[in-house]
Amino acid sequence: MKPFFLPVILLVGVTVTNAQEKKVPHKAPVAEIRQAAVAFLEGLGPELRQQASFTLSDKERRAWSNLPATSFKREGVSFKEMSPQQRSLAHQLLQSTLSSQGYLKTTGIMHLDELLKAMAAERRPNNTPMFGHDLYWIGVFGDPAKDSSWGWQLDGHHLALNITVIGDEVSVRPAFMGSDPARLPEGTYSGWMVQGAEDEKGKQFFASLDKKQRAKAVIDDIAPRDVITGPTRGDQLKTPTGLPASDLDADQRQLLISLINEYVHNYEHNIAHIQMDRILAAGLEKIYFAWAGTEEGKPYYYRIHGPTVIIEFDNHFPPGRNSGAVNHIHTVFREPGNDYGEDLLRKHLLESPHHQVEE
């Protein structure tokens, strides 16, 4: 019987084909996000549509907060004002831009606020509700049906998402996510953590540092009370401090990248990869890691700061307390020079023919 070589030939062919494959560039799902935003606005009806609509330059675009609704007035349309059908369209808008991970964190924060509402009602039954799933607002900036540059925002207690579409690109920063309690201590959802990965990965990376590396990474023995670049404070950090990634070994670099990915991959797959490519293209060695809070059982804080990324995390005492369990997380995810898509907008204005002034 003659030897049968076909399987070997096929295997060789597959190998050659795979070797010749080129990396396909990631493209942000601009059409899908636009479609979801248009559907959301059309589903609101005239009055709520006007309430939800702003110009791209409106000051409301930068007016977001992590405070409860009774402490900071929001604009736009709240979930309280939406019908069930309109809420469904709002969730489709979230899903168009977020990954499954990011969507579950976002809705988890909103649900956690509902639990806070119930706990607050038990303590003070006659007070005006300051927490709850209803108290989150959506605003749309510009006209997604016509404009090449526009955006949308979700704003409420412990949650602010700022999305800007510029041509075929998407900016997803700044973003604020927080959780209180960080870990639910009792009840039906006992043990539930919305932001457990951000917490555990940060501690794991810090634990991997040797004595010499920690000496550079620790910027203070006491953690700050809050993130530095919170609402209205986006320009507070100018120069990276702490431990440069160039001082890390290969395993530690992978831990750092995994930690950054935890924030990046809150967004749709293609958006996340474009974000990560942008961060790494600026140079991993230019990224610094800083830590504050060295006493066991006390608040702690970490920061990742490079040319195109600022990530901050703190786990502190509950509001109004200076002791007890450390169980209150704040995080922020920013892009120096490109928050709200500022850099992309400048580039778009320079390169788009319809924005050029004829001489």
Side-chain angles (χ1 to χ4, degrees), residues 202-263:
K203 290 187 290 188
Q204 182 184 12
F205 176 74
F206 183 64
S208 77
L209 304 180
D210 61 31
K211 187 176 180 180
K212 185 177 179 181
Q213 290 170 323
R214 287 195 181 200
K216 290 184 179 181
V218 175
I219 56 174
D220 202 320
D221 290 333
I222 299 174
R225 182 69 212 191
D226 202 350
V227 293
I228 309 301
T229 61
T232 73
R233 303 193 304 271
D235 60 351
Q236 293 298 297
L237 293 173
K238 303 292 187 185
T239 305
T241 57
L243 174 70
S246 56
D247 286 2
L248 304 176
D249 63 31
D251 289 340
Q252 290 170 329
R253 289 189 180 201
Q254 287 305 310
L255 288 174
L256 179 61
I257 289 173
S258 177
L259 177 55
I260 296 172
N261 268 323
E262 189 60 38
Y263 293 84

Side-chain angles (χ1 to χ4, degrees), residues 13 30 60 70 72 97 100 114 124 127 142 161 167 172 196-197 206 208-209 234 270 274 290 292 310 324 359:
V30 169
E60 181 61 26
T70 50
F72 186 89
T97 313
S100 56
E114 194 70 18
R124 298 183 179 87
N127 281 16
L161 303 180
V172 295
F206 183 64
S208 77
L209 304 180
N270 289 286
I274 292 168
I310 292 177
E359 296 183 356

Side-chain angles (χ1 to χ4, degrees), residues 15 17 66 119 155 163 174 206 223 225 235 250 271 293 295-296:
T15 303
T17 301
N66 61 296
M119 289 186 281
D155 184 21
I163 312 301
F206 183 64
R225 182 69 212 191
D235 60 351
I271 294 174
E295 188 176 344
E296 188 70 27

Side-chain angles (χ1 to χ4, degrees), residues 135-160:
L135 301 180
Y136 289 85
W137 281 256
I138 290 181
V140 178
F141 300 84
D143 187 345
K146 298 187 301 183
D147 298 343
S148 59
S149 299
W150 63 279
W152 65 267
Q153 179 189 80
L154 174 67
D155 184 21
H157 181 227
H158 274 159
L159 183 62

